[in-house]
Amino acid sequence: PPKGVLVAPSAPSPSLQGNHQRTRTTTHRKIRNFFKAGTLDIPRISHSIVGLSSILVGLHHMFKVLLLSSFSDVECTVRTILCIGCIHTFVGLLGVRRLHFKNEKEAARNAMFWPAPIQSLWLASVSLTEWGQGSGALISMGGSLFTAFTVFNVLLTVWQFSVILRKTGVRESNSSSNTSSNSTKQDSIWFKKSAHNAILVEFSYLFWMQLQMGTALYIATSAPLLHNFSSFMDAFPKMQYLLSNLALNTAFFNNLAVFLATLIRYKLVSKPENHNVAVFSLPLLSSIFIVWKVLSCFFLSYDGAMSSSFFSLIFKK
């Protein structure tokens, strides 16, 4: 064009406009399907309401203990434990009826889902024992029923890990005569390598449950140690807040993982691929940040006296 003449920008090509419109239409359809599935009947509506409450309450609690304050400074009363624990437990119970246990391709997903309310119940219950209340415990960690419940939950997490290793990822199939396509995807919502799935789930939330359950079980096996632990918790109230808040946050992370798997199932979140690996790294990064916050509270509270007393207590059993 001649010098000094302005040229109007070219309009987007019809093909780009068409692709953008199709993407928007597909996204709206996925959202409609997601909300439709959650409002088909009264039980599903109830599950959706309690599930939304679990996410909002869990996010509010996590925001307080991670950003506004710390695990050892946010007071965790019995009323708070009962309220948050019941919400996280009920949402899992209401969701069990929606699982497809006969579908082998959803075996790993089901292994994450149905144990969630059992684990949330343990995490809330242990906060009412000496673990979170000291001598004011409503339930005793050393009771035979609670000890059996703890052992069951530890074994449950081990079973979950084994299912994720066996039932996810791409496996080689010898039954196919076509050598170019002799692999099958076992679970449609997971990474291609089962080891990646196991690492993600283990260190996102399974390991932190196992750590709390294993420590509680170790303390509960000795009556003198349990008595000394109760006295220790009375002497350091911040340890009560730390363990109770950690247990409730772990229950929330458990439900958050279930919610993420549900979003993947309804294709509102893409499956784990190279382009969105950051999304699926978020749970691991969040876990690392939480560990840093918890350890900071543990070692720095009472100028280090709390942590040193705890290790003396544990290793003098």
Side-chain angles (χ1 to χ4, degrees), residues 25 130 138 141 159 170 205-206 232 235 243 249 264 272 278 292 311:
T25 302
E130 295 88 350
L138 304 182
M141 289 167 55
W159 174 80
V170 177
Y205 66 97
L206 279 186
F232 161 79
L243 295 182
N249 191 73
I264 298 172
W292 173 73
F311 287 127

Side-chain angles (χ1 to χ4, degrees), residues 1 17 22 33 50 52 61 107-108 125 129 142 158 213 256 259 296:
Q17 289 181 331
R22 281 193 295 272
N33 291 339
V50 179
L52 180 61
H61 177 259
S125 299
T129 67
V158 175
M213 293 170 182
L256 194 62
F259 180 65
S296 298

Side-chain angles (χ1 to χ4, degrees), residues 33-41 44-46 48 98 266:
N33 291 339
F34 178 73
F35 281 104
K36 183 179 179 181
T39 56
L40 284 178
D41 49 36
R44 289 199 179 198
I45 293 174
S46 301
S48 299
R98 298 177 62 176
Y266 286 95

Side-chain angles (χ1 to χ4, degrees), residues 2-145:
K3 189 175 182 179
V5 177
L6 296 177
V7 179
S10 58
S13 64
S15 60
L16 290 177
Q17 289 181 331
N19 290 337
H20 180 66
Q21 183 63 32
R22 281 193 295 272
T23 301
R24 289 182 59 185
T25 302
T26 302
T27 301
H28 291 162
R29 184 171 65 250
K30 291 176 181 178
I31 294 174
R32 285 198 304 269
N33 291 339
F34 178 73
F35 281 104
K36 183 179 179 181
T39 56
L40 284 178
D41 49 36
I42 298 300
R44 289 199 179 198
I45 293 174
S46 301
H47 180 218
S48 299
I49 293 173
V50 179
L52 180 61
S53 301
S54 174
I55 297 298
L56 294 177
V57 169
L59 284 174
H60 177 261
H61 177 259
M62 186 174 70
F63 188 74
K64 284 175 61 179
V65 298
L66 287 181
L67 300 178
L68 294 181
S69 186
S70 66
F71 282 89
S72 58
D73 289 332
V74 175
E75 185 178 3
C76 197
T77 63
V78 171
R79 178 181 295 182
T80 300
I81 295 168
L82 290 174
C83 179
I84 297 179
C86 286
I87 292 175
H88 290 331
T89 301
F90 284 147
V91 67
L93 289 174
L94 293 172
V96 170
R97 63 182 293 271
R98 298 177 62 176
L99 300 181
H100 304 288
F101 290 103
K102 294 182 180 180
N103 188 347
E104 275 296 315
K105 288 190 175 182
E106 294 192 6
R109 178 177 175 272
N110 294 338
M112 287 173 57
F113 275 40
W114 70 258
I118 301 173
Q119 292 160 344
S120 294
L121 179 61
W122 185 89
L123 289 163
S125 299
V126 77
S127 301
L128 300 175
T129 67
E130 295 88 350
W131 184 263
Q133 304 298 320
S135 60
L138 304 182
I139 309 169
S140 177
M141 289 167 55
S144 57
L145 289 179

Side-chain angles (χ1 to χ4, degrees), residues 4 194 232 307:
S194 60
F232 161 79
S307 57

Side-chain angles (χ1 to χ4, degrees), residues 136-279:
L138 304 182
I139 309 169
S140 177
M141 289 167 55
S144 57
L145 289 179
F146 193 84
T147 300
F149 189 38
T150 304
V151 171
F152 173 75
N153 273 275
V154 172
L155 295 177
L156 190 57
T157 61
V158 175
W159 174 80
Q160 285 178 291
F161 182 80
S162 69
V163 171
I164 291 164
L165 278 177
R166 293 183 289 108
K167 299 292 185 179
T168 67
V170 177
R171 301 283 184 177
E172 295 298 323
S173 175
N174 297 325
S175 60
S176 174
S177 58
N178 187 357
T179 57
S180 62
S181 58
N182 60 344
S183 60
T184 57
K185 191 75 175 289
Q186 292 195 112
D187 195 305
S188 60
I189 66 170
W190 298 86
F191 291 109
K192 292 181 180 180
K193 293 185 178 180
S194 60
H196 292 173
N197 301 323
I199 291 172
L200 176 66
V201 174
E202 177 68 17
F203 290 101
S204 292
Y205 66 97
L206 279 186
F207 176 75
W208 314 118
M209 285 195 291
Q210 292 163 351
L211 186 62
Q212 293 172 78
M213 293 170 182
T215 305
L217 187 62
Y218 175 80
I219 294 172
T221 55
S222 170
L225 177 59
L226 181 58
H227 174 75
N228 292 335
F229 177 77
S230 179
S231 301
F232 161 79
M233 296 298 282
D234 290 341
F236 298 99
K238 285 189 176 183
M239 190 66 170
Q240 299 180 21
Y241 302 157
L242 172 61
L243 295 182
S244 297
N245 284 317
L246 178 60
L248 294 179
N249 191 73
T250 305
F252 166 63
F253 250 69
N254 204 356
N255 284 349
L256 194 62
V258 171
F259 180 65
L260 177 61
T262 303
L263 293 180
I264 298 172
R265 184 185 183 191
Y266 286 95
K267 299 181 180 179
L268 289 173
V269 174
S270 302
K271 295 176 185 178
E273 301 293 348
N274 291 332
H275 70 276
N276 68 339
V277 69
V279 175

